[in-house]
């Protein structure tokens, strides 16, 4: 039995579910996810291959460039024959990628920007206000080369100081997308998490005794429907 059938990572499972949903005619404006999925290059490549729009959270160690590096596709004609033969395509010069947290701190692209304030939602402690910066971004793929143009968003909570990084294959001002639209998708995950918390604490989703995942899903459906009636 193939190894990928015996064990599949969560990003692989999620990608299979997305592909199945698309094959069944389901269409969405954009997908969002936490950094567990955002750090997985194969998951991001899978969404790209399906031509899906996404805005996902990424870890602070995510690598890329805010200025597209030059890539050599073929060896120059005057290249010497001595030494180890270089692989192509490759970066034209030694210009390593950077972690997104370092880009925020040291890159002029971010340092010269002013924080933009956005009100995203109302919470029990008052309105949630974010300070946001963004830049065009090229992700580093598994071969060490830049992918196509993307967007890197940095959002800092004004009250708590917590900083989050988001990665999207849509750039504000292009294809009808604005920065507010991308932020709405990025922070839309909280509604799903609030739903899970409510059905656990108020309607007994975590009070079950079963072994199969179908039973767990059935119990979830009943508690969510109960929440709609309540």
């Amino acid at each position: 039995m193939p190894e990928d059938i015996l064990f599949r990572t969560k990003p692989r499972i999620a990608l299979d579910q997305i592909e199945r949903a698309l094959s069944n005619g389901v269409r969405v404006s954009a997908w969002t996810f936490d950094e567990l999925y955002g750090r997985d290059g194969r998951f991001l490549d899978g969404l790209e291959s399906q031509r899906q729009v996404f805005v996902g959270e990424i870890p602070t160690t995510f690598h890329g460039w805010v200025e597209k590096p030059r890539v050599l596709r073929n060896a120059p004609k005057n290249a010497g024959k001595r030494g180890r033969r270089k692989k192509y395509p490759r970066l034209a010069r030694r210009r390593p990628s950077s972690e997104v947290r370092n880009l925020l701190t040291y890159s002029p692209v971010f340092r010269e920007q002013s924080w933009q304030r956005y009100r995203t939602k109302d919470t029990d402690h008052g309105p949630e206000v974010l300070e946001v910066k963004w830049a065009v971004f090229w992700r580093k793929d598994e071969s060490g080369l830049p992918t196509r143009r993307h967007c890197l968003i940095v959002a800092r909570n004004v009250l708590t100081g917590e900083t989050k990084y988001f990665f999207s294959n849509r750039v504000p001002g292009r294809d009808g997308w604005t920065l507010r639209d991308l932020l709405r998708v990025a922070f839309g995950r909280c509604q799903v998490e609030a739903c899970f918390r409510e059905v656990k604490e108020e309607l007994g989703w975590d009070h079950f005794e079963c072994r199969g995942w179908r039973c767990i899903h059935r119990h979830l459906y009943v508690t969510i429907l109960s929440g709609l009636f309540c």
Side-chain angles (χ1 to χ4, degrees):
M1 185 176 293
E3 184 179 353
D4 59 346
I5 296 180
L6 293 174
F7 174 77
R8 293 185 301 165
T9 63
K10 287 185 177 181
R12 179 68 257 178
I13 295 174
L15 194 59
D16 291 342
Q17 291 176 336
I18 291 173
E19 292 174 353
R20 184 173 62 181
L22 295 175
S23 65
N24 289 331
V26 177
R27 296 295 180 266
V28 300
S29 298
W31 300 92
T32 186
F33 40 83
D34 60 29
E35 64 179 61
L36 172 67
Y37 302 88
R39 65 163 52 95
D40 192 297
R42 294 183 180 181
F43 176 75
L44 299 176
D45 290 338
L47 290 178
E48 294 274 18
S49 65
Q50 294 287 340
R51 298 182 179 180
Q52 295 299 297
V53 179
F54 62 83
V55 187
E57 188 175 353
I58 55 176
T60 59
T61 55
F62 197 83
H63 272 256
W65 299 265
V66 290
E67 295 181 4
K68 186 177 181 181
R70 184 185 171 198
V71 177
L72 296 178
R73 300 297 175 182
N74 301 298
K77 296 181 179 180
N78 57 352
K81 298 182 179 180
R82 296 183 179 181
R84 180 181 297 181
R85 187 175 183 179
K86 297 181 180 179
K87 296 181 179 180
Y88 290 88
R90 60 183 290 117
L91 296 179
R93 57 180 180 177
R94 191 171 183 81
R95 187 177 182 181
S97 60
S98 301
E99 296 179 351
V100 291
R101 58 183 174 185
N102 291 333
L103 289 174
L104 175 64
T105 304
Y106 303 110
S107 172
V109 175
F110 279 100
R111 293 182 62 183
E112 295 174 1
Q113 280 190 55
S114 299
W115 291 98
Q116 305 178 49
R117 287 202 169 191
Y118 288 86
R119 177 174 174 172
T120 56
K121 62 180 180 179
D122 292 325
T123 67
D124 296 336
H125 304 285
E128 182 180 74
V129 179
L130 301 175
E131 293 181 329
V132 179
K133 291 184 179 183
W134 73 275
V136 177
F137 183 74
W138 287 265
R139 172 173 67 93
K140 180 181 178 181
D141 64 15
E142 295 184 354
S143 62
L145 299 176
T147 58
R148 70 178 188 86
R149 178 179 297 191
H150 291 83
C151 173
L152 172 64
I153 302 173
V154 184
R156 184 175 65 188
N157 190 301
V158 173
L159 294 178
T160 64
E162 181 184 13
T163 302
K164 292 187 176 183
Y165 298 82
F166 296 93
F167 175 71
S168 175
N169 59 349
R170 289 297 181 268
V171 178
R174 300 185 61 182
D175 303 318
W177 285 87
T178 65
L179 180 58
R180 186 177 294 275
D181 293 333
L182 297 180
L183 290 173
R184 187 179 297 113
V185 175
F187 288 91
R189 198 177 75 242
C190 64
Q191 300 176 7
V192 179
E193 296 171 348
C195 175
F196 286 165
R197 182 177 63 253
E198 184 178 87
V199 296
K200 283 183 178 180
E201 296 177 352
E202 306 295 338
L203 301 172
W205 178 36
D206 54 350
H207 299 162
F208 59 83
E209 294 182 5
C210 53
R211 297 182 180 179
W213 64 269
R214 287 187 176 89
C215 301
I216 298 176
H217 284 194
R218 189 179 300 117
H219 189 61
L220 172 62
Y221 299 152
V222 172
T223 52
I224 291 180
L225 286 174
S226 300
L228 292 176
F229 283 106
C230 293

